[in-house]
Amino acid sequence: QVQLVESGGGLAQAGGSLRLSCAASRNTFSFSAMGWYRQAPGKQRELVAVFTAGGMTNYADSVKGRFTLSRDNAFNTVYLQMNRLSPEDTAVYYCNARDLTIDYWGKGTLVTVSS
């Protein structure tokens, strides 16, 4: 069973930064895709950033230039560096790992950005 453990959420001011971490129970390159999604109150869950099976990194238009996805496989961890945060980034952020047709999710970490 795959386990994903998120950390790093919290409260930030607009214009500030946070870094989220997602520790996986196995090598992050073993998944066909891995990244972050978020869900704001009253909205559907949406993709934020993902490493794809083709070796690319995709970002939502709303975070391009502000957020950076990276990984350190010595620790089986994927990171989401979030800069120039805005109140619109307030959401629960979920780590996702896809193993062919199976999606694994972390429990989520709350990010709140104050204006």
Side-chain angles (χ1 to χ4, degrees):
Q1 181 70 14
V2 172
Q3 290 186 330
L4 304 172
V5 179
E6 300 117 332
S7 61
L11 178 64
Q13 290 188 333
S17 299
L18 286 173
R19 188 177 79 157
L20 305 183
S21 301
C22 173
S25 55
R26 71 186 209 210
N27 189 317
T28 65
F29 286 97
S30 70
F31 300 109
S32 54
M34 188 166 183
W36 292 88
Y37 288 70
R38 68 185 180 187
Q39 188 165 17
K43 294 187 177 181
Q44 290 188 329
R45 192 172 297 189
E46 63 175 1
L47 172 72
V48 177
V50 65
F51 291 118
T52 70
M56 301 187 63
T57 306
N58 292 337
Y59 294 93
D61 287 343
S62 59
V63 308
K64 282 181 182 176
R66 300 189 298 123
F67 290 11
T68 303
L69 188 65
S70 64
R71 61 177 138 197
D72 184 341
N73 226 51
F75 298 100
N76 291 347
T77 299
V78 169
Y79 302 97
L80 183 68
Q81 177 66 44
M82 306 186 294
N83 297 329
R84 306 202 319 266
L85 285 163
S86 73
E88 289 70 34
D89 296 317
T90 294
V92 177
Y93 284 70
Y94 296 92
C95 182
N96 169 267
R98 178 165 296 173
D99 195 356
L100 297 178
T101 60
I102 301 173
D103 275 310
Y104 299 96
W105 295 94
K107 293 182 178 180
T109 185
L110 177 62
V111 171
T112 304
V113 183
S114 63
S115 58

